[in-house]
Every structure is written in structure tokens, then in C-alpha cells.
Amino acid sequence: MIHFLAWYLTLIILGALTFPLVYRLFPKFADRGYSFTRAAGMLIWGYAFWMLTSLGIAQNNIGGLMLGLAVLIALSLWASQRGEGLRDPLAWLKDNLKLVFTVEILFLLSFALIALLRAANPEALGTEKPMELAFINAILRSPTFPPRDPWLSGYAISYYHFGFIMTAMLAKLTATAGSLAFNLMTALIFALSAIGAYGILYNLQSTDFRLQTLDSRHQTLDSRLQTLDFRHQTLDSRLQTLDFRHQTLDSRHQTLDDSPRHSRFNFHYSALLAPLFLLLISNFEGFLAIIHQYKFFWPSGSSKFNFWIWLDMKELSQDPATLTPIPERFWWWWRASRVIQDYDLLGNFRETIDEFPFFSFLLGDLHPHVLSMPFALLAIAVALNIFLGGWRGETKILTFRFHLKPLGLFSVALILGGLAFLNTWDILIAAALIASAYLLSRIHEDGWSWSRLEDFLYFGLLTGIAAILLYLPFYLGFASQAGGILPNLINPTRGAHLWVMFGTLLLPIFFWMIYLWRSEKTPVNWRSGFALALGLPLFLWLFSWLIAWGISRVNPGLAMPFLDSQNLSSLGELFSAATPRRLEYIAGALTLLFVTGGSLSLLWNPHLSSARGRGTDSPLVSRGELKRGGTSFTLLLILLGSLLVLAPEYFYLRDQFGTRMNTIFKFYYQAWLLWSLAAAYGAASLLQKLRGGWDRVHRTGLALLLIAGLIYPVFGVISKTDSFSSPADWTLDGAAHITRSNPDEAAAIVWLQSAPDGIVLEAVGGSYTGYARISTNSGLPTLLGWPGHEAQWRGGYAEMGSRQKDIEMIYTTSDWDTTKAFLDHYQVRYVVVGLLEKSTYHVDETKFQYFLEPVFSQGATTIYLVP
């Protein structure tokens, strides 16, 4: 509880220190960036601390943290010198107390909710948790940066690890152990994401309200001008004027009747739909699991069609009578992250990963794709700020002219580079979104011309280069398993699986787009939108086969093993076998066609080229400002999300998995982020605008959808926490399980945590096992941890060399000279001999007992000090 309060108060103070800066950075936002103060503060503070420590100016200690924080405070003081200093943000806070209280309550409740969930199952054990805890503890023990790799002594971490640096920062500042910080950071990321999503939807709705107000004022002015003109007419005209005034009064009464539903008062509540859709609403797998348990649609008698066999989703294809009921069934909730089912041409299953946010927090892995979420939302906020005209100005660099102030360009580069450092995959969509927002902003200012594409490319090039330069120390030491792009020829996504995965988001999106088309009378360019939406997948399909043909010609050694694995001898046979499958799975392609085509058609104003210089009769004069509102930006989110889902249909990243598993995982996760915000905006808009029967239909449908989407979180939490049945065992310490299961080893780890720095020797084993537990929990580097993970991070086994065999030799040989040579070569300081070492090797402990000093001994665990 003490550590929870320490982290909470630290974030409150950090937000307060950052607000004067954020207030200036987001002038176009109704909340002036208040929802993003903590995330922005973490990013700037973390960047300053990391850079100063990497350059040797600061050390990885409290002094270095305070120096980095001083940079943030200096920036806020600089920002507060503008205007009336701190009076402006303080006056804003006073005038917007309701918004401030809503954000603060949402942050506290979200932080406490996930902290409680983690306290009921806190173990940093299984899946990727040991790796993540190892990084946190290693960063805490590293004297400087780049931080040491805990599982490969002598090397720095070769992985995107900015999120773990931020975790270690808070842990060091609040004197929190790494195993506690692991779970507190999980809860903090959830809370930061909740208020970030809230802020985006709040600002979108506030923008729409302001634009509607402006439009209403313009109409009022027009009516007054008409009234003045009527006064110079005949008596009949005066009567018409009186009639007109009655109509105006009726119109004003109607406006008054409608205003409560459109006022910012309701935005405080409707904006809560954003964190709901992003963080709690889940895919349909939980709903399907429940109705499967009760044998709905399970055939009886002589019925031949079996819905569940047709759906083809692992356990759901089995007879429910043979399965343990939910939520008692072991890890039933895991299947929600394995909805997409891929098979090769011989019918062999190929696993894919399709996580979504609530699954991530239920699982409890503090992986980079989770750590980056609030900062990805910050990037969306930056894009929205640019789209709304924020940072408008001119900056000339060499011969290029950019229509953003230097502050805007620097902010974009800082957030893009930070995302690459947090979770490299995120930079693609963030860069595309920000550059697209810049493009649309330029179009709204100066109309469409082909020079806008030059603006887009130059802007992307400049900010991309700047992002790399700002984080250059990271890139200098970074390696990856990525080996290029490969074509996906045989595994399109089935429509049924796509709808199970994204249906809770697609239904509100489709309903809202239909409303735009039918009720808002939005200009729609169906022909161009759907022509592009149809042409893009056709192009990608042809290009994927062209790449395959090129690989078969240039690198037959890569193509032939794949063909052999499918019992095929040529690319032509592969084409004949793969094409019918893509046609069979056409429902998934059609779904993406309608999402992409609909968003493009609604976003692509057919009169866009007439934005400037066409006089007051131009269609964009009356609608141009509205096109800069939330509708256009939300359509952009939908479009980019559809492109993310479309890409793995035809290509995937070449890695050690050999399939599109990881590409689906990363791209679908980002698509969920974008589509969830769009679904929340669409639902909130319809709740405010619909009337009568359609309003009742929408509210009923939305309620049923929310129930279906919340079944998984409810039953998942019950299963994962065992119904919160053991409150006496609740703790946020991710390493508490070691004390219960192996107190001797736990005591050894505690001893090493306060021991002088040095390299640890321990047993080596496979990934997702109990190996590397000493280095993981002590923060001291070991010779080799999980070899498979090191190969993923570094793109191969070259750096590991013969370490695994050498470690076995050290433990098993009886020759002290050989042992000493290896210990000296690897600069080992502590040799651990515990139950795991004894069960893994035939340990000859006599040589250690004779030549080394036992500095710790308890039960079956001994630590020897190498002189």
C-alpha cells in the first residue's frame, strides 16, 4: 500500500510539473493537454535522464534522476514565461474543475483496479514476465547506460527497452524493489492509457461542439441580415419577416432543446467510452465460450451442420460436455489471444497471436507493446493537435519549408523516436498518422494540389531523421531478428475469425459510418474511395506474387524448402493451390473492403480541390471547418487501422518464427488501438445525435454489444484471481512466490541484491522455464540466460558463442585448472549451486568447496565467491 501511494503521489507531482509545458504544447485542445501531462512528463523526464546518462554526464542514480527532472522543470518554466505566465494555466484549471476531477478520479480508479488485479495474482512467472523483470532489475543495477544485458554478461541490452528504463526510474525514486515495480508499472500503464484515451475523445467531441457553435452563429448572422433586408420590403414582406422571426424563434427553441445533449457537460461522461472500448471491451471469444458451454448451436440428433466445427477455434470445436465449465477451466481465457487460425496447404496448424489490451493486462506481461500504449495515445494526440491547426507557422530547413513551428517539429521527432525506443513496431503507424494529419491540415489551409504530397514526404523524412538522431545512442547498440519482408501467399484471414476478433469495434464503426452517409449528408466520393479500396489489395496480391517469383529466381535456397514443406515443386503449383483458398476466405477481404472503402469515401471530399479561391459558393466554405473536426480525424483512424489489418494478408516480417504470427500480433494490436477510439467516438456521436426509434435501436444494440464485450473481462478476472478468494496472500511483490516455493533460493537472491557488483554463474535452460532465475531477480548479469530469447533479440547465436557448453563444463569438470580458466575468461564473481544446477548437471561441487569461498549458504543453495 505504501509503494502504491508513493507511485500515485509521484505521478500527481510529475503531472503538475509538466502541465505548464503541456498547456502550451496543445493550444487547440479543450483540455489543453491535461489528460496527457503524466505521459508527456514521463517521456520528457525519461528522455533527459537516459540521454544524460548515456553521454556520461549523469549516473544511473538519484542524482541523475534529479538532473533529468530538472530539465523537465526548466522546460515548464520556459513555457510558463509565455502569455501571463502561470496565470493562464491556473485560470484554466479553476474554470475546468469538473474535467480535472474527472481525469483524476479516472486515473486513481484505473490505477487501483489493475493494482488489485495484480495483487491477487502477482507472480512474475511464466510467459514473458521473467524477461521483463530481468530487464527492470538489470537497469536498476547498471551503473550507467546502455544498461547491461542480464542474460548475456559483457553486452548491453539489444532490445527496445525505454519502458523498462521508465519503470526503473520510478522504482529508484520511490525506493521500490524491481519485483514490486513490475506490477505497479502494469497498473500505471493501464491508468495512463485510460486518461489518454479519455482525453482524445473529449477533445474530439469538444472540437465538434465548437465548430457546431460557430456554424450556428453564422446561421444567426445570416438570419439577421435577411431580417434587415425584409424591413425594406412591402407590408407583405413584413408579414413574411414576422413569419420568419417565428421560424427563427422555433429554431432557437429547438437549439435550446438540443443543447444539453451537445454541451460539453456531457462530454465528461461520454468520453469515458474511449477507455471502455480501448481497455475493457474484448473480442467475442469470451461471449462465444459462454454460449458454447451451454451448448447453444451444438447439433443434436442427425443434424449435419456444426457451427462450432465450422467456426474452427480450438476448444470451441470440442464437445462442451467434455470440457470443464468456465471459469474453472484452466487458462480458458488464453484462447482469446489465439482467435486467428492459420494452416499451411497440408492442413498443419500455424499459431498466430492476436492480443488485445484487456488480455494483456489480465495476463500481466509488462511487454513493450503494453508499455508503449500511453505514449502511442500521446502520438495520436500530437497528430490531432496538428490536424486542428496547432503549431501553425513556418520553419525553413535548407531549401525545404515546413508549415509547423520548430516546437512542433521537435515534439513530433521526440515522440516518434520515443515510440521506436519503447516498441519499434509502433513508429510505423504513429509516423503515418502524424504525417497524414499534417497532410490534411495543409489541404484544409491551401487546398489540394500535388505539392501536398511533397509536403507529406518532406515532413515524414525530416521528422524520421530527427527521431533517429535524437535517440542515436539506442540505435548504435541495437540489433534485431528482423530479416526483411516475405510474401504471405497461403494464409488469408477468415471473415469469421476477423469478426470474432474485431466485431465489438467494427459494429459501432459501421453503424456510425452509415449514419454519416444517410443522416449527416456528408459529401461522399464512393467511386474514388472504393476504387482505391479495391485496387490496393489487388496490387498487394500481385506484388506479393512478384516478390515470391523474385525470391525463387534470386534465392532458390529460401524458396525451395518452403515448396518442399508443402509437397510442391514449383511456384506455379503453389499459385494453383493458394488462389482457391484466398477466394474461399473472401468474407475477410470483403469486410476490409467495406471498412477501407467506406472510410476513404467519407474522408475524400469530392470538392477538396476548391478549398481556396472559389468564392463563398464553394462547397467547402460552409463545410470546410467541419471537415477539420472529429469526424475527419476519426475516419483517418479507421482508415489506418484497416491498412494495419490488411497488410498481414499479403506480407509478414521475416523472423525466427517463420510465419506471420508476430506480424499479426503487432499490427492487430495497433489496429485495436485506433479502431477502439473510432468505435468510442462513433458510439458517443450517435448517443448525442440520434432521436426517436433509431436512438432506441442504437442504445439497445450498444448495450447488448457492451455486455457481449465485457463477458470476457468479468469471467477472465474471476478465473485469473480465483475469485479473489485468498486476500491474505495478496501482494504486489512479483517475486513473493520464490519465498513460498524455495526459501533457500529466495534468501540467496536477497543476499545478492545487496552484494557487490559482479557476474553470476547459474544453470542454463530453455525459454519460458525456471532457468535464469538468479540473474532475473538479483539484477546481476549472468553468462547466459534464455538462449532462444537472446537469439531473437540479436538475430542469431553469434554473441553467445560456446557459453552454454562452457557453463556445463564449469559445473561438471573435476579439473580445477579448466574451471579457473573459464571463470577468469568470463570474469565470473559468484558461482551459484542450487537445486536447479544439481538437477541440470552432474555438478562436481568439491572443486568449488576446496578452492572458493562460500559467501552464502542456506539449505540446498550455496554461493561461492571467485577471488
Side-chain angles (χ1 to χ4, degrees), residues 353-370:
I353 303 174
D354 47 61
E355 276 195 34
F356 51 92
F358 187 81
F359 171 88
S360 302
F361 290 103
L362 183 65
L363 178 65
D365 278 8
L366 192 61
H367 220 52
H369 67 281
V370 175

Side-chain angles (χ1 to χ4, degrees), residues 789-860:
H789 273 58
E790 284 291 345
Q792 290 178 34
W793 302 335
R794 301 179 183 279
Y797 292 84
E799 290 86 353
M800 285 176 272
S802 61
R803 291 192 182 206
Q804 190 161 0
K805 292 182 179 179
D806 296 344
I807 291 170
E808 182 177 4
M809 178 64 72
I810 293 173
Y811 277 112
T812 58
T813 184
S814 58
D815 181 18
W816 172 248
D817 291 333
T818 301
T819 302
K820 188 175 186 303
F822 279 125
L823 294 175
D824 291 343
H825 174 71
Y826 290 114
Q827 299 180 334
V828 174
R829 184 165 191 174
Y830 303 105
V831 178
V832 176
V833 179
L835 291 175
L836 189 58
E837 283 71 30
K838 294 174 183 177
S839 64
T840 303
Y841 311 114
H842 296 292
V843 179
D844 185 336
E845 196 173 355
T846 305
K847 60 182 181 295
F848 299 137
Q849 295 170 344
Y850 188 79
F851 289 102
L852 301 180
E853 177 188 359
V855 289
F856 174 87
S857 182
Q858 179 174 314

Side-chain angles (χ1 to χ4, degrees), residues 325-615:
I326 293 173
E328 288 81 10
R329 190 186 311 165
F330 180 70
W331 274 41
W332 67 270
W333 47 268
W334 176 267
R335 289 299 175 196
S337 69
R338 302 300 190 270
V339 166
I340 308 300
Q341 308 293 305
D342 280 357
Y343 299 89
D344 66 15
L345 295 176
L346 299 179
N348 299 311
F349 176 69
R350 294 185 170 190
E351 185 177 34
T352 60
I353 303 174
D354 47 61
E355 276 195 34
F356 51 92
F358 187 81
F359 171 88
S360 302
F361 290 103
L362 183 65
L363 178 65
D365 278 8
L366 192 61
H367 220 52
H369 67 281
V370 175
L371 285 163
S372 69
M373 280 182 61
F375 306 99
L377 292 166
L378 181 61
I380 295 173
V382 166
L384 178 59
N385 188 56
I386 293 174
F387 177 76
L388 296 177
W391 301 325
R392 185 182 300 176
E394 284 197 1
T395 302
K396 188 174 182 181
I397 301 177
L398 299 177
T399 61
F400 305 118
R401 189 180 301 276
F402 301 94
H403 295 265
L404 280 185
K405 294 179 180 178
L407 177 63
L409 292 173
F410 179 80
S411 300
V412 170
L414 184 68
I415 184 62
L416 286 180
L419 279 176
F421 196 2
L422 279 154
N423 184 38
T424 302
W425 293 76
D426 286 354
I427 192 174
L428 295 175
I429 187 59
L433 177 61
I434 292 174
S436 298
Y438 176 73
L439 173 64
L440 289 178
S441 179
R442 292 288 298 119
I443 290 172
H444 285 297
E445 291 172 4
D446 294 328
W448 165 255
S449 69
W450 289 107
S451 62
R452 297 289 81 80
L453 291 182
E454 293 182 9
D455 293 338
F456 177 84
L457 294 174
Y458 291 153
F459 177 79
L461 182 64
L462 172 70
T463 52
I465 293 174
I468 293 174
L469 292 177
L470 283 175
Y471 292 84
L472 191 59
F474 163 65
Y475 292 102
L476 292 176
F478 179 66
S480 173
Q481 62 172 319
I485 301 295
L486 289 177
N488 171 30
L489 305 175
I490 65 173
N491 285 123
T493 302
R494 280 185 60 192
H497 297 155
L498 189 67
W499 275 94
V500 172
M501 178 63 196
F502 289 113
T504 50
L505 307 181
L506 288 176
L507 286 172
I509 287 173
F510 275 129
F511 201 4
W512 174 67
M513 289 199 300
I514 292 171
Y515 169 82
L516 286 181
W517 168 44
R518 300 295 296 175
S519 300
E520 292 282 311
K521 305 301 181 184
T522 302
V524 181
N525 194 337
W526 295 118
R527 178 178 298 178
S528 299
F530 273 89
L532 275 177
L534 183 60
L536 180 60
L538 287 175
F539 169 77
L540 293 175
W541 178 68
L542 291 173
F543 189 61
S544 67
W545 282 102
L546 179 62
I547 295 294
W549 177 83
I551 292 174
S552 67
R553 295 293 181 180
V554 176
N555 191 359
L558 180 62
M560 290 310 298
F562 175 77
L563 291 173
D564 292 340
S565 70
Q566 305 301 303
N567 288 340
L568 301 171
S569 59
S570 68
L571 195 63
E573 291 183 5
L574 177 62
F575 182 85
S576 299
T579 302
R581 174 180 285 191
R582 196 167 286 276
L583 294 175
E584 180 184 356
Y585 291 172
I586 194 67
L590 289 176
T591 298
L592 293 177
L593 173 65
F594 284 113
V595 178
T596 309
S599 57
L600 268 172
S601 300
L602 290 163
L603 187 61
W604 193 333
N605 191 330
H607 307 295
L608 206 55
S609 60
S610 62
R612 302 276 293 187
R614 294 291 183 94

